[in-house]
Amino acid sequence: MAAPSRTSSRRKVPAAASLDCATTFQAMALDCVAAIKAHHSSACAGDAEAVHQIRVAITRLRAAVAFFEPIVVDTEWLRLKKEIAWLNGPLGAARDSDVLVAYARRKRYRAWAQRMIGEQLDQRQMRDHRLLVRALRSVRTQHLISAMAGWIRRGPWLARWQRRKDTEALQIYCARELDRWHGRLVHKGRRLKTLGASRRHRLRIKFKRFRYMLEALTETVSLWGHRELRHLHRPAKRLQRALGDLRDLKRFADLAGDGPQAKKDKAKKPPGYRRRKEKLLGACLASHREIATPLAGSILQNSI
């Protein structure tokens, strides 16, 4: 049986008007934990999409913590953060292997991959999934999932929040944080064309978190409607995906350096590599220009 989708496991939450920052964070974060649980069995069975959805859920959780950092970060989160990083290691390795195998099976790359990479990619995928299954089925992971849910519901951060007398209205806080994240992304993306691979990857993670928060604020708690944030969400999603495709394409091409024909064959890059790279970079730049327009920030200013 296929794993349930992320939306099918979403919790019922109160109307946005009755939420504050703490309950909003809890709704978002518990939604992420529910998604991890929902896809756990399928990921253990080798389902590549389930592995991807668990990674998405973890990234969404990290995004929510970063967004509500002044409210929710405490010593317990710092401990959980290390455990999440441990689990994300085998999850990331398995996901990367799945993506590279999918590249190698594409019609345009199939012959090149067989000649330049050989069987090592399939062997790597099997190894990475074995290590992931071992991690997912471990007591350590079960304790982590339970600890995350407990921290979200009744962690030290919540008692600290409940003692506060200067709590800020939810919509004002979220609008200000979205505005701050948006401004930071616009600034950091100005040198997108000349950024190295590692900096592009870090920028991609920031855009991914921004996109996920826009989705959470419209889907999980309905603070805004899809139309109100569409001018921010669509270019952020396109830019994040294009940066991801750039990274995957480079990693795929780099595999040829260790292949059986690497020293004999001068055509080390996959067919159409340069053209595809230029097209993806162009898509990144176009999406950044779109998200950097004055219109992109208007909804944030108008909502305060």
Side-chain angles (χ1 to χ4, degrees), residues 100 112 116-117 120 124 197 247-259 262 268-270 273:
L100 295 175
W112 179 88
M116 299 297 295
I117 303 173
Q120 62 169 315
R124 171 179 163 179
R247 178 175 180 264
D248 294 337
L249 181 65
K250 184 181 185 304
R251 288 165 63 87
F252 180 59
D254 289 347
L255 288 173
D258 300 324
K268 292 184 180 181
K269 299 298 183 184
Y273 174 80

Side-chain angles (χ1 to χ4, degrees), residues 161-187:
W161 165 265
Q162 291 170 343
R163 290 194 299 267
R164 290 180 59 172
K165 297 180 180 180
D166 58 340
T167 56
E168 189 173 24
L170 173 64
Q171 194 159 10
I172 293 176
Y173 177 89
C174 292
R176 189 185 69 249
E177 285 302 296
L178 284 179
D179 195 27
R180 186 173 68 85
W181 281 28
H182 172 258
R184 180 181 61 182
L185 290 172
V186 169
H187 175 72

Side-chain angles (χ1 to χ4, degrees), residues 49-284:
E49 180 59 23
V51 173
H52 174 56
Q53 290 302 327
I54 290 177
R55 292 196 74 221
V56 168
I58 287 175
T59 304
R60 287 178 180 273
L61 175 60
R62 284 174 158 175
V65 172
F67 193 79
F68 290 102
E69 181 177 358
I71 298 165
V72 305
V73 169
D74 56 21
T75 54
E76 179 63 13
W77 166 250
L78 297 180
R79 187 190 70 79
L80 289 172
K81 185 178 179 181
K82 293 179 181 179
E83 290 297 286
I84 291 171
W86 163 77
L87 180 58
N88 221 22
L91 279 167
R95 174 59 181 170
D96 287 345
S97 290
D98 291 338
V99 169
L100 295 175
V101 166
Y103 260 91
R105 291 175 180 171
R106 292 183 185 181
K107 185 176 180 180
R108 70 180 304 181
Y109 300 139
R110 198 175 300 149
W112 179 88
Q114 290 174 353
R115 184 178 75 252
M116 299 297 295
I117 303 173
E119 301 297 324
Q120 62 169 315
L121 194 51
D122 290 328
Q123 295 169 1
R124 171 179 163 179
Q125 184 186 37
M126 291 177 61
R127 179 201 66 202
D128 289 340
H129 272 272
R130 280 199 301 269
L131 293 174
L132 173 60
V133 170
R134 189 181 304 169
L136 287 173
R137 289 178 174 169
S138 68
V139 174
R140 186 174 180 179
T141 293
Q142 297 307 313
H143 286 170
L144 171 59
I145 294 173
S146 176
M148 285 192 297
W151 172 75
I152 294 163
R153 290 191 176 99
R154 53 186 177 275
W157 69 271
L158 185 58
R160 185 180 65 203
W161 165 265
Q162 291 170 343
R163 290 194 299 267
R164 290 180 59 172
K165 297 180 180 180
D166 58 340
T167 56
E168 189 173 24
L170 173 64
Q171 194 159 10
I172 293 176
Y173 177 89
C174 292
R176 189 185 69 249
E177 285 302 296
L178 284 179
D179 195 27
R180 186 173 68 85
W181 281 28
H182 172 258
R184 180 181 61 182
L185 290 172
V186 169
H187 175 72
K188 289 184 177 295
R190 285 173 181 166
R191 295 189 295 136
L192 182 57
K193 191 172 183 179
T194 59
L195 288 180
S198 61
R199 288 190 175 184
R200 277 205 308 262
H201 179 56
R202 290 196 293 271
L203 182 63
R204 171 179 169 259
I205 291 172
K206 287 182 172 61
F207 267 102
K208 184 187 291 189
R209 289 184 177 185
F210 182 63
R211 166 201 165 185
Y212 285 164
M213 284 310 302
L214 292 173
E215 291 173 356
L217 290 169
T218 56
E219 297 171 4
T220 307
V221 296
S222 302
L223 189 60
W224 284 287
H226 288 278
R227 291 182 180 180
E228 292 175 290
L229 299 181
R230 184 170 53 190
H231 58 278
L232 287 167
H233 180 262
R234 289 199 301 189
K237 183 177 181 178
R238 286 197 300 266
L239 199 156
Q240 173 236 315
R241 286 187 169 180
L243 285 174
D245 288 343
L246 261 176
R247 178 175 180 264
D248 294 337
L249 181 65
K250 184 181 185 304
R251 288 165 63 87
F252 180 59
D254 289 347
L255 288 173
D258 300 324
Q261 297 294 320
K263 295 181 180 179
K264 300 177 182 179
D265 198 326
K266 294 182 180 180
K268 292 184 180 181
K269 299 298 183 184
Y273 174 80
R274 181 176 296 180
R275 182 179 298 178
R276 177 63 177 162
K277 183 178 177 181
E278 290 175 353
K279 184 176 180 180
L280 287 171
L281 184 56
C284 292

